[in-house]
Amino acid sequence: MTVLPIREMGDPVLREVARPVSAEELAGAEIQQLIDDMIETMRDANGAGLAAPQVGVPLRIAVIEVRAGNPRYPYKPPIPLTVIVNPELTMLDEATFATNEGCLSMPNVRGDLERFENVGVRYLDRDGEAHEVTRRGLTAGTFQHEVDHLDGILFVDRMVDMSSLSTWEEFERHGKADFVARIEALVERVGS
Ligand code: ZN
């Protein structure tokens, strides 16, 4: 497995609408290798997820995982490794929550935004098996962040109030305590 270079904001590939992957492609060695490399790259960067456009490939594939004790996102509930291919998100209701995100393609930038609290996700796994799951709270936010990447959307596009933009260091200093308290209440309420 190889750690791939992560594309950063300004790279046009991050603004493309990625195309679906065919069953033949998904079964092929090239895409299977890409998925392995994306997992390795996400783990190397301590990301919670990584979408194929972030490694320069405009295909509808993302990997998501939060392991306990992730140093980048210590407050996120664990998410088992999930490979999503051709995902489709549906909002299950109107409920939203206030969150704060960062992105491996936007180094040292964080900001506040709203995400839907309850989403349904239909996707194929790396073996081409279809799944339909419900994801809630912060985990739902992570799925929305990754699927946004497949549509050329970065989290800053979802921000309403740009005054919350911060570096990671300033977020730690000024925003994190309130945010983590809010998130702990959310996790308590919706589970994970
Ligand atoms: Zn991102």
Side-chain angles (χ1 to χ4, degrees), residues 60-90:
R60 301 188 79 79
I61 303 172
V63 297
I64 293 171
E65 180 184 49
V66 177
R67 295 198 272 197
N70 178 309
R72 189 173 158 91
Y73 299 109
Y75 49 81
K76 280 192 190 245
I79 306 175
L81 176 64
T82 310
V83 177
I84 57 174
V85 178
N86 301 340
E88 288 172 37
L89 278 188
T90 46

Side-chain angles (χ1 to χ4, degrees), residues 54 103-104 145 149:
Q54 292 182 277
C103 178
L104 295 175
H145 180 117
H149 273 302

Side-chain angles (χ1 to χ4, degrees), residues 169-191:
E169 192 181 338
E170 296 302 335
F171 174 72
E172 291 276 335
R173 190 172 295 152
H174 302 289
K176 192 175 178 185
D178 281 356
F179 171 67
V180 169
R182 267 203 333 266
I183 286 310
E184 283 171 356
L186 174 74
V187 170
E188 184 82 7
R189 186 157 55 81
V190 303

Side-chain angles (χ1 to χ4, degrees), residues 9 13 16 24 71 89 92 140 148 166 177 188 190:
M9 56 181 171
V13 74
E16 277 183 49
E24 290 87 343
L89 278 188
L92 299 181
D148 271 353
S166 70
E188 184 82 7
V190 303

Side-chain angles (χ1 to χ4, degrees), residues 1-5 29-44 50 55 63 65 67 81 83 126:
M1 293 202 268
T2 311
V3 174
L4 302 170
E30 198 176 325
I31 296 295
Q32 291 296 317
Q33 180 68 54
L34 170 68
I35 291 169
D36 284 339
D37 291 347
M38 286 173 59
I39 293 167
E40 188 77 357
T41 304
M42 169 180 66
R43 288 175 173 169
D44 178 70
L50 185 77
V55 292
V63 297
E65 180 184 49
R67 295 198 272 197
L81 176 64
V83 177
R126 67 184 300 168

Side-chain angles (χ1 to χ4, degrees), residues 4 28 41 49 59 61 68 93 118 120 128 131 133 135 153 158 161:
L4 302 170
T41 304
L59 292 175
I61 303 172
D93 53 42
N118 303 297
H131 297 262
V133 297
R135 292 290 176 262
I153 296 167
R158 304 266 188 214
D161 177 4

